[in-house]
């Protein structure tokens, strides 16, 4: 049965929280629960799905600020990001208040993620790739069978993630994208952290940060 996904733009920053599910088992995960938790819970209920985990690409407030609120309703594990983003998750009370978001307590995920791990939703597997640069602990999730990449704030339509945040590094970001993402099949569909989807092939040809 098919792997399904639905992109939900949440928070005033319009961050793409993706609901991913297995049509056969009805098991689902949410990636990057930045906020608007009641809306996300309603989407899960409307589709008759069972939430089994939260996956986080990185620790910025618009990607992780709704996690604690959601856990009050759903007792599920929080997987990711890489441990190098711990400082961002610990700073959530300050950053959410600073940007006028509902204040999020700090939290520690159930498990930090490392390069090469495999996560599952139903019968579908996603490989974890560590792509530091936007943040030091940014990870992405790649499903080879369906050619789908959940990229967080690494790769966008014809641009790349900002690196002017604390502990960002532009050279690291570009080198990691080239080494780990542009080597994926060109037909791979990319769910970016904000805005429209793209593909690896399109970015290899038209992304001004990546075209050699």
């Amino acid at each position: 049965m098919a792997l399904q996904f639905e992109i939900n733009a949440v928070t005033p920053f319009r961050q793409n929280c993706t609901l991913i599910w297995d049509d056969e088992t009805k098991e689902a995960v949410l990636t990057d629960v930045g906020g608007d938790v009641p809306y996300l819970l309603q989407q899960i209920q409307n589709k008759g799905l069972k939430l089994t985990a939260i996956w986080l690409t990185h620790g910025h407030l618009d990607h992780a600020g709704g996690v604690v609120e959601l856990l009050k309703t759903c007792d599920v594990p929080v997987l990711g990001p890489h441990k190098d983003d711990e400082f961002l998750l610990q700073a959530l009370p300050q950053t959410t208040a600073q940007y006028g978001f509902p204040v999020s307590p700090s939290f520690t995920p159930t498990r930090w993620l490392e390069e090469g791990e495999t996560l599952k939703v139903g019968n579908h597997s996603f490989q974890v790739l560590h792509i530091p640069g936007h943040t030091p602990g940014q990870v992405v999730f790649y499903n080879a069978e369906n050619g789908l990449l959940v990229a967080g704030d690494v790769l966008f339509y014809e641009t790349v993630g900002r690196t002017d945040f604390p502990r960002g590094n532009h050279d690291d970001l570009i080198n990691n994208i080239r080494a780990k993402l542009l080597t994926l099949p060109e037909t791979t569909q990319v769910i970016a952290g904000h805005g429209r989807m793209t593909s690896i092939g399109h970015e290899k040809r038209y992304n001004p940060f990546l075209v050699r």
Side-chain angles (χ1 to χ4, degrees), residues 4 11 26 38 46-48 79 104 128 171 201 208:
Q4 304 284 350
T11 84
K26 299 300 182 183
N46 290 349
K47 293 175 174 57
L79 306 178
S104 168
V128 176
D171 288 343

Side-chain angles (χ1 to χ4, degrees), residues 1 7 18 59 104 111 119 140-141 151 172 176 185 188 196 200:
M1 295 293 284
I7 299 170
T18 306
S104 168
R111 190 171 96 239
L119 304 181
V140 302
F141 309 113
D172 282 354
N176 276 293
T188 302
R196 62 181 288 183
I200 293 297

Side-chain angles (χ1 to χ4, degrees), residues 169-189:
N169 186 304
H170 182 76
D171 288 343
D172 282 354
L173 179 65
I174 298 302
N175 290 337
N176 276 293
I177 291 172
R178 285 193 169 131
K180 299 180 183 180
L181 301 188
L182 296 191
T183 53
L184 299 176
E186 292 197 0
T187 53
T188 302
Q189 296 297 299

Side-chain angles (χ1 to χ4, degrees), residues 119-167:
L119 304 181
K120 296 200 74 171
V121 52
N123 297 311
H124 300 277
S125 298
F126 284 76
Q127 181 183 0
V128 176
L129 301 172
H130 182 205
I131 314 285
H134 176 67
T135 71
Q138 164 93 52
V139 296
V140 302
F141 309 113
Y142 172 58
N143 176 258
E145 178 190 5
N146 294 279
L148 184 68
L149 177 71
V150 180
D153 284 358
V154 168
L155 184 62
F156 299 92
Y157 180 80
E158 297 183 5
T159 189
V160 297
R162 290 174 58 180
T163 54
D164 56 339
F165 295 116
R167 296 179 60 187

Side-chain angles (χ1 to χ4, degrees), residues 27-187:
E27 293 175 309
V29 299
L30 282 169
T31 70
D32 289 352
V33 181
D36 297 337
V37 168
Y39 170 76
L40 296 174
L41 291 172
Q42 189 63 53
Q43 296 304 104
I44 293 168
Q45 182 179 336
N46 290 349
K47 293 175 174 57
L49 303 175
K50 178 188 177 184
L51 187 68
T52 60
I54 297 167
W55 298 351
L56 297 181
T57 63
H58 65 292
H60 280 157
L61 75 160
D62 54 326
H63 293 254
V67 168
V68 173
E69 181 185 354
L70 188 138
L71 291 177
K72 293 176 183 176
T73 302
C74 302
D75 182 17
V76 296
V78 180
L79 306 178
H82 185 279
K83 197 176 192 303
D84 285 350
D85 269 12
E86 183 173 19
F87 76 106
L88 291 170
L89 296 182
Q90 294 308 310
L92 279 173
Q94 293 77 37
T95 56
T96 47
Q98 176 185 348
Y99 283 93
F101 279 46
V103 174
S104 168
S106 60
F107 67 91
T108 300
T110 311
R111 190 171 96 239
W112 303 105
L113 294 176
E114 298 281 349
E115 172 94 17
E117 288 193 55
T118 298
L119 304 181
K120 296 200 74 171
V121 52
N123 297 311
H124 300 277
S125 298
F126 284 76
Q127 181 183 0
V128 176
L129 301 172
H130 182 205
I131 314 285
H134 176 67
T135 71
Q138 164 93 52
V139 296
V140 302
F141 309 113
Y142 172 58
N143 176 258
E145 178 190 5
N146 294 279
L148 184 68
L149 177 71
V150 180
D153 284 358
V154 168
L155 184 62
F156 299 92
Y157 180 80
E158 297 183 5
T159 189
V160 297
R162 290 174 58 180
T163 54
D164 56 339
F165 295 116
R167 296 179 60 187
N169 186 304
H170 182 76
D171 288 343
D172 282 354
L173 179 65
I174 298 302
N175 290 337
N176 276 293
I177 291 172
R178 285 193 169 131
K180 299 180 183 180
L181 301 188
L182 296 191
T183 53
L184 299 176
E186 292 197 0
T187 53

